Amino acid sequence: MSNLRHERVRELLKRALGEAIRREFNVNDVGLITVNDIDVGGDLRSAVVFITILGNASQQKRCLHGLEEKRIRLQSLVAKSLILKYTPT
């Protein structure tokens, strides 16, 4: 049963985070960002996000720097779009 819940939460997070990234970042500046997978912790309070960045080297560096800077904003956007007890960090 918990495996099904983890799978559902993982897919919801993947969609919500992809939409938040699409809104926050311009493709021309940072390249194309794709959320490939999310590994959610057992207690659903932490997650590791696996992404792909398509673009040149400078766009990839800007993208990683931008994702680190906007991590809290992205987390709040995901929290607003999903109804979960805890939003994974």
Side-chain angles (χ1 to χ4, degrees):
M1 186 98 146
S2 68
N3 288 337
L4 179 62
R5 173 143 175 85
H6 276 79
E7 193 68 29
R8 286 177 36 213
V9 168
R10 200 181 110 240
E11 287 299 319
L12 285 172
L13 285 171
K14 200 158 94 169
R15 285 188 198 142
L17 185 58
E19 183 65 26
I21 288 173
R22 187 187 65 79
R23 288 183 186 171
E24 290 294 311
F25 292 95
N26 185 4
V27 175
N28 296 330
D29 294 338
V30 295
L32 183 65
I33 307 167
T34 305
V35 178
N36 291 339
D37 197 13
I38 296 181
D39 186 18
V40 182
D43 58 356
L44 300 177
R45 291 188 185 205
S46 63
V48 177
V49 179
F50 299 95
I51 61 168
T52 300
I53 305 166
L54 298 176
N56 58 32
S58 66
Q59 286 177 327
Q60 291 176 354
K61 287 180 184 177
R62 280 192 301 243
C63 177
L64 288 176
H65 184 69
L67 285 171
E68 289 171 0
E69 282 184 351
K70 292 187 179 189
R71 184 190 62 81
I72 295 172
R73 168 102 172 115
L74 292 172
Q75 184 178 353
S76 69
L77 289 173
V78 168
K80 289 177 186 175
S81 67
L82 297 179
I83 301 172
L84 294 173
K85 187 171 184 179
Y86 303 105
T87 303
T89 55

